[in-house]
Structures are given as C-alpha cells and as structure tokens.
C-alpha cells in the first residue's frame, strides 16, 4: 500500500496527535509523516522524543491560521493525505476566550481545506482529508439515548460550536468541490500526555500533591471515556478503510458520572501512593458548575465496529491504572507543563470557585 504516502498530521505534538503520529511513524515506515504544530501551551515535543529521529518523521512548527504559510507549505510538499487534529480543545478556555477557538478551529481548518483543494488537482482517488472531531458537536443527551452519526448537530459551548463549524466546512468542501474527506467524532479521551487542564490528569496531579479535586456541580455529568491509544487505532482504521464522505462515531461504551470516575481514580491513587483507602477521596470539593455544562455524552459505535471491525482494546480500569502510572513515573514531564502560565490559568479557573 504505497498510496497516501506523504501524510500531513496537524496538531501532532498535542495529546491525541502525538499518539497518532507515533502509531503511523512506527507501523508504516513506508509513509512519510510530517507533523505540523504551532506548539501552543498544549503542544509538547517531549511527547514524541522516542520517535523524533526516525527517518520517516519530520516536525514543522507553524500555525494553521497563517494562510500564506499554509499555502506555501502545500506548494512545497506533495501531501497525499491530511489528518487534521490541530485545535484549541478545552471547553473551559473556550468560555473565557472564544476567539482563539474560532480562529484555529474554523479559520485554520478552512485554510487547510483551501490549500488541499488547490494542490490536489486531477485524480483524487488516493487522496484523503481526514478531519478529527468530537462528539460534543451533537450537544447534550438526557438520561437516555446515544449519539449516532445521524444525530442533529446542537453544539452548546464555544468549543463545540467551533468544532461543529469546522465539520460543516469539511462537508461543504466535499459536496461543493469534490474534496475526498472523512470525519470522525470521538468521545472523551484519557491517557498519557494529556495536558492537566482536563479532568483526569488534573485530578491525578492534584491528588498526588494533596490539593483539592474540583468537581463541577454535583459531579453528575456523564462522559463516555476512551483510552487514547484506542482512539489512535480507530483513526488508523478509518484512514485506511473508511468510506470517503462518511462520518464515523468513535467511543468505547464506557459511560461514567464524573463523581464515580473520581472515586475510582482516588482508589487507584490511594493504592499507588500507599495511602489508606478513602484518603484521596477526602480531597473532593464540589465547586461552582461550568456555565452551559452538557449533562451527558454517549456514543453509539455500531458503524465503526460493524463496518470497519474496529474494537477498543483497553478496559477502563486498566486504562486508568496505566494513565496514573504514567503520570507518577513521568514527574519531569508533569513539572515541565505545570509552569507559571499553568498556575495562573489554574488560579483564574478555580480560585473563588
Ligand atoms: P490538545 O489541545 O492536546 O492538542 C492540540 C494540538 O494542536 C497542540 O499540539 C497545539 O499546539 C496544536 N495547535 C493548536 N492550535 C494550533 C494552530 N493554530 N496551528 C497549529 N497547531 C495548533 O488536543 P487533543 O485533546 O489532543 O485533541 C486533538 C483533536 O482531537 C482536536 O481536534 C479535538 O477537538 C479532538 N478531540 C479531542 C478529544 C479529547 O477528549 N481530548 C475527544 C474527541 C476529539
Ligand atoms: P473535561 O476533561 O474538561 O472534558 P469535556 O468538558 O470536554 O467533556 O471535563 C470532563 C468532565 O469533567 C466535564 O463534565 C467537566 C468535568 N470537570 C470537573 O468536574 N472538574 C474539572 O476541574 C474539570 C476540568 C472538568
């Protein structure tokens, strides 16, 4: 399979992107992988140290909102495919500052679509623009039901609205200009290398240093959790076998209320830190809720499992233990991201909450 040879992966220095880059670089030495990333606060080249010297990998620092830069990049490189993950990704930050989300998630995506369209002329059989999106575009579920690929879009945060906007743009470029595209919408990921602004790594770091665990509202919101390496295998499966123009929902049938997740996590942390069972849970603090907090997300994954044969391979408890162990064993990574900027972000989000 030597088509789709040169692949541009955007956002490859981030959490999910770094796992995707690693999987492609290691498993497909015949492909050239170019990782384009702006290295925002969420991008970290430490995530890729183990593969950075492999011959089929190259890193480029750049901003997808910079139109001339993107145009020039495509003029210089004959990309066969794009796997687009670069985004502003945190709901709480989108509430405080939506413009960065509009710029990167919508304008940045359109810049990539335009550059791809310009550079892919003629036969597009072996070309693919793969857009990575989120289940949050579907809005919020009540107690019952699951998101299918036919669920109408109903985004409710600036983050999810910007991702919904980018999904619409990708489909518009497909229907209007014939660009070969595929989209996947995945549920909440967790695992190594996730920036500790998101619930699980934030809680791990706080528990370790005996700080409060801020749980929004009553902790009754439900998320559907998938281990990040399983998302990476889903992306690889869709990249190679997904049908052009189609959407795939990705999730591992693993719904949990936030408070139940935190209790499981506290139990694992007690165990790993040699604390008495129940000790870490005392750190839970119910704090003021997130405005517009979506109640429940849950994915119906029958399309990707039925049509493409993908299955998640890591159960939640095992995945959470692996995640905890990674954070405890990688103190250097953790302290390198808990910078002054992180501390001032943390204060602005959680002081007086
Ligand atoms: P992340 O915030 O960890 O990483 C995003 C990466 O994009 C960073 O490396 C950052 O430097 C880069 N980036 C940001 N703005 C950029 C720009 N203007 N130009 C170039 N690079 C830029 O995010 P993540 O959690 O790894 O999410 C990756 C993708 O997956 C996003 O598109 C997100 O919407 C989607 N997604 C995430 C989840 C999740 O649970 N984290 C679930 C479903 C879908
Ligand atoms: P998060 O990791 O931010 O992902 P998303 O908002 O994209 O689902 O949050 C996961 C859930 O945890 C969500 O319901 C909000 C909640 N949450 C807290 O209760 N406390 C926190 O400090 C954070 C960051 C999130």
């Amino acid at each position: 399979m030597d088509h789709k040879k040169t692949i541009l992966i955007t956002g490859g220095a981030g959490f999910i992107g770094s796992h995707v880059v690693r999987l492609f670089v290691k498993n497909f030495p015949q492909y050239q992988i170019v990782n384009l990333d702006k290295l925002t606060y969420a991008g970290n080249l430490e995530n890729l140290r183990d593969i950075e010297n492999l011959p089929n990998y190259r890193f480029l620092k750049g901003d997808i909102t910079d139109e001339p830069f993107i145009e020039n990049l495509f003029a210089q490189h004959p990309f066969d495919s794009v796997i687009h993950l670069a985004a502003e990704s945190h709901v709480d930050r989108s509430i405080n500052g939506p413009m960065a989300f509009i710029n990167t998630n919508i304008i940045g995506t359109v810049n990539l679509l335009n550059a791809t369209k310009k550079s892919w002329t003629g036969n597009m059989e072996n070309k693919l623009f793969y857009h990575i999106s989120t289940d949050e575009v579907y809005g919020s579920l009540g107690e019952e039901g699951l998101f299918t690929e036919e669920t109408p879009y109903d985004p409710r945060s600036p983050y999810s609205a910007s991702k919904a906007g980018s999904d619409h743009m990708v489909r518009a470029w497909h229907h209007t200009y014939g660009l070969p595209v595929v989209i996947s919408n995945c549920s909440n990921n967790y695992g190594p290398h996730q920036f500790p602004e998101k619930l699980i790594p934030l809680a791990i770091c706080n528990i370790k240093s005996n700080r409060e665990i801020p749980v929004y509202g009553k902790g009754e919101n439900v998320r559907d959790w998938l281990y990040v390496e399983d998302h990476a295998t889903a992306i690889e499966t869709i990249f190679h076998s997904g049908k052009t123009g189609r959407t795939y929902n990705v999730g591992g049938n693993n719904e949990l209320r936030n408070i139940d997740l935190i209790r499981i996590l506290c139990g694992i942390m007690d165990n790993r830190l040699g604390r008495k069972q129940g000790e870490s849970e005392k750190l839970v603090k119910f704090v003021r809720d997130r405005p517009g907090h979506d109640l429940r997300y849950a994915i119906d994954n029958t399309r990707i499992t039925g049509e493409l044969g993908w299955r998640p391979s890591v159960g939640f408890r095992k995945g959470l233990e692996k995640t905890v162990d990674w954070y405890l064993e990688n103190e250097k990574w953790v302290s390198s991201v808990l910078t002054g900027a992180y501390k001032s972000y943390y204060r602005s989000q959680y002081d007086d909450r």
Side-chain angles (χ1 to χ4, degrees), residues 9 19 23 67 82 84 103 106 213-214 216 257 280 320 335:
I9 300 186
H19 290 275
L23 184 153
E67 188 183 351
V82 177
H84 175 37
N103 285 328
I106 303 181
I213 311 163
Y216 297 166
R257 294 191 315 162
S280 297
L320 201 54
S335 56

Side-chain angles (χ1 to χ4, degrees), residues 11 13-17 36-40 42-43 62-65 85-89 104 132-134 159 163 186-189 194 198 231:
F15 166 48
I16 301 170
L36 171 69
D37 198 296
K38 183 182 174 183
L39 300 181
T40 67
D63 185 341
I64 60 169
T65 69
L85 296 106
E88 289 291 337
S89 69
T104 288
I132 306 300
S133 193
T134 167
Y159 165 64
K163 290 298 289 187
C186 188
S187 61
N188 285 61
N189 284 215
Q194 188 169 32
K198 306 276 167 62
H231 189 189

Side-chain angles (χ1 to χ4, degrees), residues 185-235:
N185 297 81
C186 188
S187 61
N188 285 61
N189 284 215
Y190 68 101
H193 297 147
Q194 188 169 32
F195 192 79
E197 63 188 351
K198 306 276 167 62
L199 178 66
I200 291 179
L202 184 142
I204 294 173
C205 294
N206 283 15
I207 294 167
K208 188 181 167 223
S209 46
N210 261 312
R211 273 179 288 139
E212 286 167 344
I213 311 163
V215 175
Y216 297 166
K218 294 179 179 158
E220 284 169 346
N221 302 67
V222 173
R223 297 293 183 263
D224 186 354
W225 295 93
L226 182 69
Y227 191 63
V228 62
E229 287 178 3
D230 281 330
H231 189 189
T233 64
I235 289 173

Side-chain angles (χ1 to χ4, degrees), residues 26-45:
K26 283 193 159 170
N27 294 6
F28 302 96
Q30 71 275 32
Y31 296 167
Q32 288 299 319
I33 304 301
V34 178
N35 171 15
L36 171 69
D37 198 296
K38 183 182 174 183
L39 300 181
T40 67
Y41 75 92
N44 189 342
L45 289 177

